[in-house]
Amino acid sequence: MDPLSSLLSGIRAEGSVVTHAVLTQPWTIRFTDAAPLTMISVLRGGGTLLLPDGTERPVGAGDTAIVRGPEPFHLADHPASVDNPHAAYEIACFTDTACTAEELGGIHWGADSDETTALIVGAYRASGHRHERLLRALPPLLVVEEDAEVCAWLETAAADAARHSAGSQALMDRLLDWALVCTLRSWFDQAGADAPSWYRGLADPVLAPALEAFNDRPAQAWTVASLAARSGVSRALFAKRFTRLMGRPPLAYLTECRLDEAAALLTDTDLSIARVAKAVGYADAFGFSAAFKRHKGLSPSAFRRGSSPDAGARGVG
C-alpha cells in the first residue's frame, strides 16, 4: 500500500454530517467539535473561514476546505458579521446525539435562492496512530477548487441520502469519506514544495521505483545498493539524490517509516511485540525494542500502554 493510501485507509466519518446546509445572510457558524479534520464543501454562495491564528480565507462555490483541529473556528458570510446581529449556528457533532439540521437552529434542507449559501460539512474522528502522521503532513487549512460537475453530483447524492431514512447516515458518511480522499489527493498533487517529502519522492522518476518497492515490502532487508538497483542508478547517485529530495539518507528514512508503522501496529492492533518486530523488518524483538526506544523515547510496551484508551491517548487531537 502506498503511503497516502495507508494514511487515509482508516479515516471514517461517524454520524457527524450536516448535509446541504442552506443559510441566508447574515450568518455565521462556529465549529466547536475539536475534530482532527473538518471538511467544508461550498456548493453555492460562499463565506470566509476565520481561524484562531487570525487567518481569514474566503471560500466560494466549488471550493472544498479542510481545517485541521482541534481549535474552534468560524465560517461567516463576511468577517464583520461575527460581531454584528446575525443568524448564529454552532456545529458540535461529537456528542451523545449525532448532529442534525434541526439541532443547528434552522440550518435546513429545502429551496434556496441566489442570496443563500449551500454547504456540505463533515467532521472526522481519527481511528489510530497513523492519522497523527497524516495530520502532521497537512497545513492548518487547505482549500481545493473542485469541478462544478463534482459539486453538483455531491449535492444530488446528499439530497438523495437525506430523503431516505434507512441507511442514510451510513451513505452520507461514506460519501464524505470519498470526498475527503479525493480532496486530499488533489491537494497533495497540487502542493508542490509544500507536500511532504515522501509524497514528492513518489513523483521523482529516480526515487519512485525504490520507494514503491519499499512500500510494498517494508519487512525486506533493503540496502542502499538494492534500492538503487530498483531505480536503475548507481548507489552513490541514489544516496545523494535521496538525501537531497527526502531530507535524510535512505536508511534513516527506512528506519523512520518502519518505526512509524510499528507505532501504528502497537496502537491499533493486539499483535505481540515479536510479531510487530517481524512485520516491520526486524529479526528479533530485542533489536526492535532497542531501535524503537532510541527513536520514540519509550519501549514498545510503554508506548502501547500510553496509547491505550484507558490512558486517554487514543485518537488524534
Side-chain angles (χ1 to χ4, degrees):
M1 184 182 295
D2 67 87
L4 183 56
S5 292
S6 176
L7 292 178
L8 295 175
S9 61
I11 284 187
R12 294 289 183 270
E14 297 180 6
S16 51
V17 176
V18 180
T19 56
H20 196 175
V22 178
L23 307 109
T24 302
Q25 295 183 0
W27 55 265
T28 184
I29 304 175
R30 176 176 166 83
F31 294 81
T32 60
D33 270 320
L37 289 177
T38 301
M39 185 179 71
I40 303 166
S41 293
V42 184
L43 305 176
R44 287 183 304 287
T48 300
L49 283 162
L50 308 172
L51 303 189
D53 65 0
T55 297
E56 296 185 5
R57 174 61 189 266
V59 289
D63 288 340
T64 293
I66 295 178
V67 182
R68 193 183 68 199
E71 293 83 5
F73 65 96
H74 287 83
L75 175 64
D77 63 325
H78 188 276
S81 73
V82 174
D83 299 316
N84 294 337
H86 58 278
Y89 307 103
E90 182 169 289
I91 295 182
C93 300
F94 292 163
T95 59
D96 292 338
T97 304
C99 66
T100 64
E102 290 75 21
E103 290 177 86
L104 298 175
I107 295 180
H108 62 279
W109 284 93
D112 56 337
S113 68
D114 293 340
E115 298 180 355
T116 60
T117 290
L119 310 169
I120 292 181
V121 179
Y124 289 82
R125 298 183 191 274
S127 59
H129 181 80
R130 60 172 41 90
H131 300 119
E132 296 178 11
R133 292 151 57 192
L134 171 61
L135 295 182
R136 289 198 299 268
L138 300 178
L141 168 66
L142 64 90
V143 178
V144 173
E145 184 177 350
E146 305 287 358
D147 186 271
E149 292 183 1
V150 173
C151 290
W153 179 87
L154 185 63
E155 181 180 10
T156 300
D160 182 68
R163 284 195 297 266
H164 299 86
S165 59
S168 61
Q169 185 63 66
L171 176 59
M172 182 54 61
D173 286 350
R174 299 295 75 79
L175 176 67
L176 289 181
D177 290 338
W178 173 85
L180 177 68
V181 170
C182 290
T183 299
L184 289 178
R185 285 185 61 188
S186 295
W187 180 80
F188 276 105
D189 285 342
Q190 300 167 15
D194 292 330
S197 59
W198 52 261
Y199 194 82
R200 298 196 305 272
L202 288 170
D204 182 79
V206 173
L207 300 190
L211 290 172
E212 289 169 359
F214 170 70
N215 292 329
D216 288 340
R217 298 186 298 282
Q220 186 166 320
W222 295 107
T223 64
V224 176
S226 64
L227 290 170
R230 283 280 177 177
S231 294
V233 297
S234 70
R235 181 183 183 279
L237 175 60
F238 178 82
K240 182 178 180 180
R241 189 180 185 93
F242 193 103
T243 302
R244 178 170 62 85
L245 291 181
M246 305 293 285
R248 48 217 182 276
L251 296 185
Y253 172 82
L254 299 188
T255 297
E256 180 181 319
C257 289
R258 283 171 170 153
L259 295 179
D260 276 347
E261 180 61 23
L265 292 173
L266 289 167
T267 302
D268 303 339
T269 75
D270 58 0
L271 292 175
S272 68
I273 290 175
R275 290 186 65 187
V276 170
K278 185 176 181 180
V280 297
Y282 285 83
D284 59 74
F286 179 80
F288 163 68
S289 295
F292 192 93
K293 186 171 184 178
R294 186 165 57 250
H295 284 79
K296 301 294 185 181
L298 292 170
S299 69
S301 297
F303 181 88
R304 171 171 273 171
R305 287 194 299 271
S307 299
S308 68
D310 291 341
R314 289 298 293 268
V316 178

